[in-house]
Amino acid sequence: MKQSQVQGRGTSRLHLLFEMVIVGIILFVLLEAIVQLLPPYYNPLSQSESDLAVGPYGFLMALGFAIGGVLTLIFVYAFMRVIPKQSQSRSGLILLGVAAICKLVIAFVATDLTSPPQTIHGTIHAVVALVSFFCGALGELLLARALLRHAVNIRP
């Protein structure tokens, strides 16, 4: 009886984590939309998203990067707890974790508005952003591939 109660609490906690991720994504998208509409000089077709982190609305963009990093870490933790080990891609989870940490670093290290970057913090921002983008995309691809492989193996 106690074990089923503990499992029930654990399951509800994991549900809560996934719900937090979903709500967080919605808030993140709203924040992104607001931040992109605020400065009249910003052109999303010709400027990088990181340019928004410089200037009067920079704290909002930094907050967005931090939220994205935290949400990714929460997702990785919940995914590891819910999905059976044989359906997980360890490499994919590690890459997503690296992407999340990079997003947190990006939140605290401002970009340079020049290309190529001319300061240490601008260079760090550019390198960490590239690592985050590639690790995030590759990590998601590896997780999706592992889940698909497992789904095909369990079909009747």
Side-chain angles (χ1 to χ4, degrees):
M1 175 87 176
K2 281 188 177 183
Q3 186 177 9
S4 64
Q5 287 175 341
V6 171
Q7 279 184 325
R9 279 189 237 137
T11 303
S12 65
R13 190 172 77 217
L14 290 172
H15 256 166
L16 178 65
L17 288 175
F18 279 122
E19 288 170 2
M20 282 175 48
V21 170
I22 291 169
V23 170
I25 289 169
I26 293 167
L27 292 174
F28 177 77
V29 169
L30 288 173
L31 181 64
E32 286 282 321
I34 290 168
V35 169
Q36 295 211 7
L37 294 173
L38 285 174
Y41 57 84
Y42 179 72
N43 182 351
L45 298 177
S46 63
Q47 290 178 273
S48 75
E49 181 181 39
S50 292
D51 289 355
L52 291 168
V54 177
Y57 308 110
F59 72 97
L60 291 173
M61 194 69 244
L63 179 63
F65 288 136
I67 289 171
V70 169
L71 290 175
T72 305
L73 287 174
I74 291 170
F75 173 80
V76 167
Y77 173 77
F79 187 92
M80 288 172 39
R81 299 293 306 233
V82 169
I83 304 300
K85 286 219 185 277
Q86 63 270 20
S87 299
Q88 295 180 12
S89 166
R90 186 174 186 166
S91 303
L93 290 169
I94 290 170
L95 287 170
L96 269 183
V98 168
I101 292 167
C102 288
K103 287 179 189 194
L104 292 171
V105 170
I106 290 170
F108 296 102
V109 182
T111 189
D112 287 340
L113 295 177
T114 60
S115 183
Q118 304 203 351
T119 63
I120 281 286
H121 60 81
T123 303
I124 291 169
H125 183 95
V127 170
V128 171
L130 282 173
V131 170
S132 177
F133 296 146
F134 286 113
C135 286
L138 187 56
E140 290 170 7
L141 179 68
L142 291 173
L143 288 180
R145 188 171 159 218
L147 286 171
L148 178 64
R149 191 172 345 134
H150 181 73
V152 168
N153 289 337
I154 60 172
R155 282 193 180 158

